[in-house]
Amino acid sequence: MTKVCPKPEEKRMCEEAVVEPISADVSFASNQFPSYKLGPNDQIVDEPEENEKGPSVKDVVDKETGDLSDQHKRLSVRDLACKFDKNLASAAKLVDEAKLNEVTSLEGHVMLKKLRDALEFMRGRMDGRNKEEVEKAISMVEALAVKLTQNEGGLIQEKFEVKKLANFLKQASEDAKKLVNQENSFACAEIESARALVLRLGGTFEEQELCSKASRALGPNVEKLVEEVQEARRIKRMHKPTKVMGMQHELHDLKSQIQEKSVYSVKLQREIAIIKRAEGSKSCPYALDGAQSLGSCLRIRASSDSALDISKCSIQWYRAASESSRREAISGANQAVYAPEPFDVGRVIQADIVSNGQKFTVTTDGPINTAAGLQSRVESFLRKSNSEFTVIISQMNGQDHASRSHVFTVGKVRIKLSRGWITKAREIYSNSMQLCGVRCNANVPAKSLFWQPRKGLTFLLTFESEQERNAAIVLSRKYAYDCNVTLVGPED
């Protein structure tokens, strides 16, 4: 029995369908139609190109013509689908033939069984030589049955392969049809969009042409009218100021008047303050000495012989935004000497003196001024990651402390006091840390600083100069503020 298989031509056709690529769209060198004309006998006439760097129109047309001829030689999607349909029909025919062979094989088994039964019946009645011949015939029938069974196995395998090939071709045919429909829809959409673009461009060109014609027709008149309007506006501005300009002049006059009155008001307030202080100084037996700026010391002294000794009086220092505003007590400042710190800049400093049951108040002539050169000094320190100052520990935990020079390091996240490899204190900025100008007895108040790294540990540090002490306070408070911490003095 022969094996059923597809024809060689059909098999080669399937391989070509799988291997050969599908035709692609034509790719143009630019996104617009090439500008060329057709001369006599359909010959291409080149036009001068705007862009000399790109290829010429003739080269583009030749290239596209070659691409179209190459694509024409390839299998199109529709041709591919037709070949799949033909192969599918061949596979269906093979399936039908396999079914017929299966029926024929079944009939052969039935006939062989009947023949064997008949031979078995004859063998029972025969003897001698005839019986041997019948047995040979039975063995031959059994051999034919085995061979028929083997042929059926091969037939079943061929049937399975044919069905598999038929399913593959059917799926490929459906995919090809889908691809054809999809490409067709894409092509229709592209055609419609190109058609709409052409119509829109045509309408735009028509509108531009109409506008250009109208502008050419009305050009001289429009230019003359524009010149006349501009000349009229210029004459109007020269001879008749606008309302806005008048309002601007009025606002300028009002601003100048308000500025003059504010200056006069400030002058009057200063004169009134001087008069009040003069009247108070006549009755107050104490006076305030010292420059009213950072780096100096304010000192209370007796201004009359009848005044009680200042060391026997009770003193409390205050800071206020102005003389008439609410005062803020400076905690711990109860000595006759007070050194202003950066927090006092722009504020008035006052001191209450209680002597023999009477209360007297002395006040600075104006707000405390900043020290010269302090701002530039602080800016130079801000450019560094850590700022180091040379200090001497005057007191430690309220007790006098004799020591050599130490280094007071102000960083962006912590403050450290050390000498060489020995660290006295090192703490990050926290709510338990306190830092301010000295408010108690000190040898040089303007150069001294109070620092509490943590609870239970305090230092009284003396700097080399007043400027370095004030710069250290400003830097520490600035870095602490960046860490959401406010550095102030005790009970502030």
Side-chain angles (χ1 to χ4, degrees):
M1 182 176 179
T2 59
K3 183 177 179 180
V4 178
C5 61
K7 296 179 180 180
E9 295 180 357
E10 295 176 354
K11 199 168 185 180
R12 186 170 59 255
M13 193 179 299
C14 294
E15 293 178 355
E16 292 176 357
V18 175
V19 173
E20 292 189 5
I22 300 173
S23 61
D25 295 334
V26 179
S27 59
F28 293 97
S30 61
N31 56 359
Q32 58 184 2
F33 292 104
S35 56
Y36 61 85
K37 293 182 179 180
L38 293 177
N41 298 326
D42 294 335
Q43 293 181 355
I44 296 176
V45 180
D46 295 337
E47 289 188 354
E49 298 180 358
E50 295 181 357
N51 187 7
E52 297 179 356
K53 296 181 180 180
S56 63
V57 178
K58 186 176 181 180
D59 295 337
V60 173
V61 174
D62 294 338
K63 183 177 180 300
E64 297 301 333
T65 304
D67 293 341
L68 290 174
S69 62
D70 292 338
Q71 290 183 356
H72 184 69
K73 296 177 182 179
R74 301 175 186 170
L75 281 175
S76 65
V77 176
R78 195 179 301 277
D79 296 338
L80 186 62
C82 294
K83 290 191 175 184
F84 275 124
D85 291 337
K86 291 179 180 179
N87 292 333
L88 184 62
S90 300
K93 186 176 180 181
L94 291 175
V95 170
D96 294 336
E97 292 178 357
K99 289 181 179 179
L100 293 175
N101 292 332
E102 184 177 358
V103 173
T104 305
S105 176
L106 182 61
E107 291 178 354
H109 274 289
V110 173
M111 291 176 65
L112 287 174
K113 188 176 182 303
K114 290 181 178 181
L115 180 58
R116 189 175 182 281
D117 293 339
L119 290 173
E120 287 288 343
F121 179 72
M122 290 174 64
R123 187 176 62 178
R125 294 189 175 186
M126 296 270 181
D127 57 355
R129 186 177 181 182
N130 293 332
K131 187 175 183 179
E132 291 178 359
E133 291 179 358
V134 170
E135 289 178 355
K136 288 181 182 180
I138 291 172
S139 61
M140 292 175 62
V141 170
E142 289 177 353
L144 287 174
V146 171
K147 189 175 181 180
L148 184 59
T149 303
Q150 292 177 355
N151 292 336
E152 284 181 357
L155 183 62
I156 291 172
Q157 183 66 26
E158 291 178 359
K159 180 181 178 182
F160 175 75
E161 291 178 358
V162 169
K163 286 184 178 180
K164 185 176 179 180
L165 179 61
N167 292 332
F168 171 75
L169 293 174
K170 184 177 180 182
Q171 183 65 33
S173 177
E174 292 177 357
D175 293 340
K177 289 180 180 179
K178 289 180 181 179
L179 187 60
V180 168
N181 295 331
Q182 186 177 4
E183 293 294 333
N184 189 13
S185 61
F186 287 163
C188 292
E190 291 292 334
I191 291 170
E192 291 296 331
S193 63
R195 186 177 298 168
L197 179 61
V198 170
L199 293 176
R200 187 165 61 252
L201 290 175
T204 304
F205 290 152
E206 291 179 359
E207 291 179 0
Q208 289 182 354
E209 187 176 358
L210 292 175
C211 291
S212 63
K213 288 181 180 180
S215 63
R216 284 195 297 271
L218 299 176
N221 297 331
V222 172
E223 293 178 357
K224 187 177 180 180
L225 183 61
V226 169
E227 292 178 356
E228 291 178 357
V229 171
Q230 291 179 352
E231 183 67 19
R233 287 180 178 176
R234 187 181 64 82
I235 294 171
K236 185 177 180 181
R237 284 196 299 269
M238 292 175 59
H239 296 83
K240 186 178 180 181
T242 61
K243 187 176 181 181
V244 175
M245 293 175 65
M247 293 176 67
Q248 289 178 353
H249 289 302
E250 292 178 2
L251 287 173
H252 182 70
D253 296 338
L254 288 173
K255 286 180 180 178
S256 61
Q257 293 177 8
I258 291 171
Q259 188 174 3
E260 292 176 359
K261 289 182 179 180
S262 62
V263 172
Y264 184 67
S265 175
V266 171
K267 187 177 179 180
L268 288 177
Q269 288 179 0
R270 289 180 179 177
E271 291 178 357
I272 292 170
I274 293 171
I275 293 171
K276 286 183 178 181
R277 282 196 296 272
E279 293 177 353
S281 62
K282 293 179 182 179
S283 60
C284 181
Y286 299 98
L288 195 61
D289 291 341
Q292 300 174 7
S293 63
L294 284 179
S296 63
C297 290
L298 300 176
R299 190 180 303 273
I300 302 173
R301 65 173 177 84
S303 60
S304 65
D305 297 335
S306 60
L308 187 65
D309 187 6
I310 195 66
S311 61
K312 299 179 181 180
C313 300
S314 176
I315 301 172
Q316 178 60 53
W317 292 85
Y318 297 90
R319 64 169 65 97
S322 63
E323 293 183 11
S324 59
S325 63
R326 182 181 176 184
R327 302 186 303 176
E328 175 187 350
I330 303 175
S331 176
N334 48 21
Q335 303 296 323
V337 179
Y338 176 72
E341 63 166 271
F343 193 67
D344 298 324
V345 174
R347 300 190 180 189
V348 175
I349 301 299
Q350 297 179 350
D352 286 350
I353 307 159
V354 179
S355 175
N356 292 330
Q358 293 182 346
K359 182 179 180 181
F360 303 98
T361 302
V362 291
T363 309
T364 56
D365 295 336
I368 300 298
N369 299 320
T370 185
L374 178 61
Q375 185 66 27
S376 59
R377 183 68 170 167
V378 171
E379 289 179 356
S380 65
F381 282 131
L382 287 174
R383 298 188 190 101
K384 304 176 183 178
S385 59
N386 293 313
S387 302
E388 296 182 351
F389 304 90
T390 303
V391 298
I392 296 176
I393 302 176
S394 300
Q395 292 182 10
M396 182 175 178
N397 292 331
Q399 302 295 327
D400 292 339
H401 185 80
S403 67
R404 299 180 182 178
S405 61
H406 289 68
V407 177
F408 185 70
T409 306
V410 179
K412 294 185 178 181
V413 294
R414 64 170 59 87
I415 298 177
K416 183 176 71 171
L417 179 63
S418 62
R419 185 175 185 273
W421 295 98
I422 302 172
T423 300
K424 288 283 186 180
R426 182 176 59 186
E427 295 292 334
I428 63 173
Y429 297 109
S430 62
N431 294 326
S432 62
M433 182 181 291
Q434 295 179 358
L435 187 140
C436 63
V438 68
R439 299 173 182 177
C440 58
N441 289 326
N443 295 330
V444 189
K447 296 182 181 180
S448 301
L449 176 145
F450 172 81
W451 180 44
Q452 176 183 300
R454 58 182 182 273
K455 292 182 180 180
L457 180 62
T458 60
F459 294 96
L460 189 64
L461 307 177
T462 302
F463 288 73
E464 292 181 340
S465 65
E466 294 85 354
Q467 189 183 66
E468 288 195 353
R469 172 254 200 182
N470 295 323
I473 294 175
V474 174
L475 283 174
S476 301
R477 288 178 176 170
K478 198 268 179 189
Y479 291 146
Y481 182 77
D482 294 341
C483 298
N484 296 326
V485 176
T486 304
L487 281 184
V488 292
E491 300 181 7
D492 284 349

